[in-house]
Amino acid sequence: MAASVTAPLEKQFGQLPGLSEMTSASSFGSSIVTLKFAGPEHRRRGAEVQAAINAATTYLPKDLPNPPIYSKTNPADTPILTLP
């Protein structure tokens, strides 16, 4: 996952303007890339993130069971579950 899915996505995301932080975690059958944007324009980055995903599609395995998707979250939101 890291080499075949995460790396191509990270390469495309790394070119996004305003990106201040990128972290990722890969495991068998799963990859999560977290992007953090600086500045007030972060609310309008959805189209740019989707364009980066579309650009990376050429480099992703043809047999992916599901295409990459993204979702926006606010790290300041109240968590729904806290584990000790």
PDB file of all heavy atoms in Angstrom, residues 5-19:
ATOM      1  N   VAL A   5       0.145   2.932  -3.472  1.00  0.00           N
ATOM      2  CA  VAL A   5      -1.000   3.836  -3.333  1.00  0.00           C
ATOM      3  C   VAL A   5      -0.611   5.129  -2.613  1.00  0.00           C
ATOM      4  O   VAL A   5      -0.822   6.230  -3.125  1.00  0.00           O
ATOM      5  CB  VAL A   5      -2.177   3.145  -2.596  1.00  0.00           C
ATOM      6  CG1 VAL A   5      -3.322   4.118  -2.366  1.00  0.00           C
ATOM      7  CG2 VAL A   5      -2.654   1.936  -3.384  1.00  0.00           C
ATOM      8  N   THR A   6      -0.036   5.014  -1.437  1.00  0.00           N
ATOM      9  CA  THR A   6       0.250   6.201  -0.637  1.00  0.00           C
ATOM     10  C   THR A   6       1.271   7.115  -1.304  1.00  0.00           C
ATOM     11  O   THR A   6       1.071   8.335  -1.372  1.00  0.00           O
ATOM     12  CB  THR A   6       0.748   5.798   0.769  1.00  0.00           C
ATOM     13  OG1 THR A   6      -0.194   4.887   1.338  1.00  0.00           O
ATOM     14  CG2 THR A   6       0.866   6.997   1.677  1.00  0.00           C
ATOM     15  N   ALA A   7       2.359   6.554  -1.813  1.00  0.00           N
ATOM     16  CA  ALA A   7       3.422   7.373  -2.404  1.00  0.00           C
ATOM     17  C   ALA A   7       2.938   8.205  -3.599  1.00  0.00           C
ATOM     18  O   ALA A   7       3.233   9.405  -3.657  1.00  0.00           O
ATOM     19  CB  ALA A   7       4.613   6.500  -2.784  1.00  0.00           C
ATOM     20  N   PRO A   8       2.202   7.634  -4.558  1.00  0.00           N
ATOM     21  CA  PRO A   8       1.715   8.471  -5.662  1.00  0.00           C
ATOM     22  C   PRO A   8       0.770   9.585  -5.197  1.00  0.00           C
ATOM     23  O   PRO A   8       0.808  10.700  -5.724  1.00  0.00           O
ATOM     24  CB  PRO A   8       0.979   7.486  -6.574  1.00  0.00           C
ATOM     25  CG  PRO A   8       1.531   6.153  -6.250  1.00  0.00           C
ATOM     26  CD  PRO A   8       1.902   6.214  -4.798  1.00  0.00           C
ATOM     27  N   LEU A   9      -0.056   9.280  -4.214  1.00  0.00           N
ATOM     28  CA  LEU A   9      -0.951  10.314  -3.692  1.00  0.00           C
ATOM     29  C   LEU A   9      -0.150  11.411  -2.994  1.00  0.00           C
ATOM     30  O   LEU A   9      -0.401  12.606  -3.210  1.00  0.00           O
ATOM     31  CB  LEU A   9      -1.974   9.706  -2.733  1.00  0.00           C
ATOM     32  CG  LEU A   9      -3.046   8.833  -3.382  1.00  0.00           C
ATOM     33  CD1 LEU A   9      -3.837   8.081  -2.327  1.00  0.00           C
ATOM     34  CD2 LEU A   9      -3.974   9.680  -4.238  1.00  0.00           C
ATOM     35  N   GLU A  10       0.820  11.020  -2.169  1.00  0.00           N
ATOM     36  CA  GLU A  10       1.647  12.009  -1.474  1.00  0.00           C
ATOM     37  C   GLU A  10       2.399  12.898  -2.456  1.00  0.00           C
ATOM     38  O   GLU A  10       2.552  14.100  -2.218  1.00  0.00           O
ATOM     39  CB  GLU A  10       2.635  11.323  -0.543  1.00  0.00           C
ATOM     40  CG  GLU A  10       2.010  10.742   0.691  1.00  0.00           C
ATOM     41  CD  GLU A  10       3.005  10.026   1.578  1.00  0.00           C
ATOM     42  OE1 GLU A  10       4.031   9.517   1.062  1.00  0.00           O
ATOM     43  OE2 GLU A  10       2.759   9.976   2.784  1.00  0.00           O
ATOM     44  N   LYS A  11       2.863  12.332  -3.548  1.00  0.00           N
ATOM     45  CA  LYS A  11       3.584  13.112  -4.549  1.00  0.00           C
ATOM     46  C   LYS A  11       2.686  14.211  -5.115  1.00  0.00           C
ATOM     47  O   LYS A  11       3.108  15.351  -5.270  1.00  0.00           O
ATOM     48  CB  LYS A  11       4.088  12.197  -5.663  1.00  0.00           C
ATOM     49  CG  LYS A  11       4.900  12.914  -6.694  1.00  0.00           C
ATOM     50  CD  LYS A  11       5.483  11.959  -7.707  1.00  0.00           C
ATOM     51  CE  LYS A  11       6.319  12.724  -8.725  1.00  0.00           C
ATOM     52  NZ  LYS A  11       6.919  11.845  -9.704  1.00  0.00           N
ATOM     53  N   GLN A  12       1.457  13.872  -5.409  1.00  0.00           N
ATOM     54  CA  GLN A  12       0.522  14.866  -5.949  1.00  0.00           C
ATOM     55  C   GLN A  12       0.111  15.877  -4.878  1.00  0.00           C
ATOM     56  O   GLN A  12       0.065  17.073  -5.138  1.00  0.00           O
ATOM     57  CB  GLN A  12      -0.719  14.174  -6.526  1.00  0.00           C
ATOM     58  CG  GLN A  12      -0.431  13.336  -7.744  1.00  0.00           C
ATOM     59  CD  GLN A  12       0.133  14.131  -8.899  1.00  0.00           C
ATOM     60  OE1 GLN A  12      -0.290  15.244  -9.182  1.00  0.00           O
ATOM     61  NE2 GLN A  12       1.123  13.559  -9.563  1.00  0.00           N
ATOM     62  N   PHE A  13      -0.185  15.397  -3.680  1.00  0.00           N
ATOM     63  CA  PHE A  13      -0.598  16.303  -2.607  1.00  0.00           C
ATOM     64  C   PHE A  13       0.518  17.276  -2.234  1.00  0.00           C
ATOM     65  O   PHE A  13       0.257  18.416  -1.858  1.00  0.00           O
ATOM     66  CB  PHE A  13      -1.025  15.520  -1.357  1.00  0.00           C
ATOM     67  CG  PHE A  13      -2.263  14.692  -1.531  1.00  0.00           C
ATOM     68  CD1 PHE A  13      -2.420  13.505  -0.832  1.00  0.00           C
ATOM     69  CD2 PHE A  13      -3.288  15.079  -2.381  1.00  0.00           C
ATOM     70  CE1 PHE A  13      -3.559  12.731  -0.969  1.00  0.00           C
ATOM     71  CE2 PHE A  13      -4.442  14.309  -2.534  1.00  0.00           C
ATOM     72  CZ  PHE A  13      -4.567  13.146  -1.823  1.00  0.00           C
ATOM     73  N   GLY A  14       1.751  16.834  -2.321  1.00  0.00           N
ATOM     74  CA  GLY A  14       2.887  17.682  -1.964  1.00  0.00           C
ATOM     75  C   GLY A  14       3.007  18.921  -2.823  1.00  0.00           C
ATOM     76  O   GLY A  14       3.697  19.874  -2.447  1.00  0.00           O
ATOM     77  N   GLN A  15       2.342  18.951  -3.961  1.00  0.00           N
ATOM     78  CA  GLN A  15       2.391  20.093  -4.860  1.00  0.00           C
ATOM     79  C   GLN A  15       1.267  21.103  -4.600  1.00  0.00           C
ATOM     80  O   GLN A  15       1.209  22.148  -5.248  1.00  0.00           O
ATOM     81  CB  GLN A  15       2.305  19.600  -6.305  1.00  0.00           C
ATOM     82  CG  GLN A  15       3.442  18.679  -6.691  1.00  0.00           C
ATOM     83  CD  GLN A  15       3.271  18.114  -8.083  1.00  0.00           C
ATOM     84  OE1 GLN A  15       2.755  18.774  -8.976  1.00  0.00           O
ATOM     85  NE2 GLN A  15       3.698  16.878  -8.273  1.00  0.00           N
ATOM     86  N   LEU A  16       0.380  20.805  -3.666  1.00  0.00           N
ATOM     87  CA  LEU A  16      -0.752  21.689  -3.401  1.00  0.00           C
ATOM     88  C   LEU A  16      -0.294  22.966  -2.710  1.00  0.00           C
ATOM     89  O   LEU A  16       0.467  22.922  -1.742  1.00  0.00           O
ATOM     90  CB  LEU A  16      -1.794  20.975  -2.531  1.00  0.00           C
ATOM     91  CG  LEU A  16      -2.506  19.797  -3.170  1.00  0.00           C
ATOM     92  CD1 LEU A  16      -3.382  19.084  -2.143  1.00  0.00           C
ATOM     93  CD2 LEU A  16      -3.341  20.252  -4.352  1.00  0.00           C
ATOM     94  N   PRO A  17      -0.772  24.123  -3.174  1.00  0.00           N
ATOM     95  CA  PRO A  17      -0.410  25.381  -2.524  1.00  0.00           C
ATOM     96  C   PRO A  17      -1.058  25.485  -1.142  1.00  0.00           C
ATOM     97  O   PRO A  17      -2.181  25.036  -0.941  1.00  0.00           O
ATOM     98  CB  PRO A  17      -0.964  26.446  -3.468  1.00  0.00           C
ATOM     99  CG  PRO A  17      -2.036  25.764  -4.241  1.00  0.00           C
ATOM    100  CD  PRO A  17      -1.654  24.316  -4.314  1.00  0.00           C
ATOM    101  N   GLY A  18      -0.337  26.038  -0.205  1.00  0.00           N
ATOM    102  CA  GLY A  18      -0.869  26.234   1.136  1.00  0.00           C
ATOM    103  C   GLY A  18      -0.785  25.034   2.039  1.00  0.00           C
ATOM    104  O   GLY A  18      -1.204  25.092   3.195  1.00  0.00           O
ATOM    105  N   LEU A  19      -0.237  23.919   1.546  1.00  0.00           N
ATOM    106  CA  LEU A  19      -0.119  22.715   2.368  1.00  0.00           C
ATOM    107  C   LEU A  19       0.948  22.957   3.435  1.00  0.00           C
ATOM    108  O   LEU A  19       2.087  23.281   3.124  1.00  0.00           O
ATOM    109  CB  LEU A  19       0.262  21.515   1.495  1.00  0.00           C
ATOM    110  CG  LEU A  19       0.386  20.174   2.209  1.00  0.00           C
ATOM    111  CD1 LEU A  19      -0.971  19.723   2.741  1.00  0.00           C
ATOM    112  CD2 LEU A  19       0.965  19.131   1.267  1.00  0.00           C
TER     113      LEU A  19
END
